[in-house]
Amino acid sequence: MEELNLQLMEVMRLEAKSCFERGDMEDGRSLCESIFQTLIPHLIEESKSDPYYVKKLISMTNSEDEVESVQAFMILKILKDKGVI
């Protein structure tokens, strides 16, 4: 699997956030989809060999930050659907 470029992912995340803040929902969603398509395969592979990521996501579901909590639930659902957990 190709090495993950975390700097690129961070730039894309910041740009998606900027898009949402200025009301450009279409570009914001497209950027988020691209991020997920890149990150999820890596997260699946890492989670199969090291449960740290799953434990971290589970703890994030209890966050007082509603956005963080919902995102963690969504990622856990994807991992469940892919048979990782």
Side-chain angles (χ1 to χ4, degrees), residues 9-19 21 31 35:
M9 294 294 104
E10 179 64 8
V11 170
M12 291 172 69
R13 182 189 73 80
L14 292 172
E15 182 59 26
K17 181 180 176 186
S18 294
C19 287
E21 288 172 351
L31 281 165
I35 293 167

Side-chain angles (χ1 to χ4, degrees), residues 25-66:
M25 299 304 179
E26 184 178 338
D27 285 341
R29 279 192 292 271
S30 293
L31 281 165
C32 287
E33 283 181 29
S34 294
I35 293 167
F36 276 134
Q37 288 174 357
T38 303
L39 287 178
I40 293 299
H42 288 277
L43 183 60
I44 289 170
E45 289 304 312
E46 290 294 321
S47 297
K48 286 180 180 177
S49 62
D50 184 0
Y52 168 80
Y53 297 104
V54 174
K55 290 177 188 176
K56 181 68 175 167
L57 286 166
I58 290 170
S59 70
M60 289 171 66
T61 62
N62 296 316
S63 173
E64 291 182 13
D65 181 345
E66 186 178 349

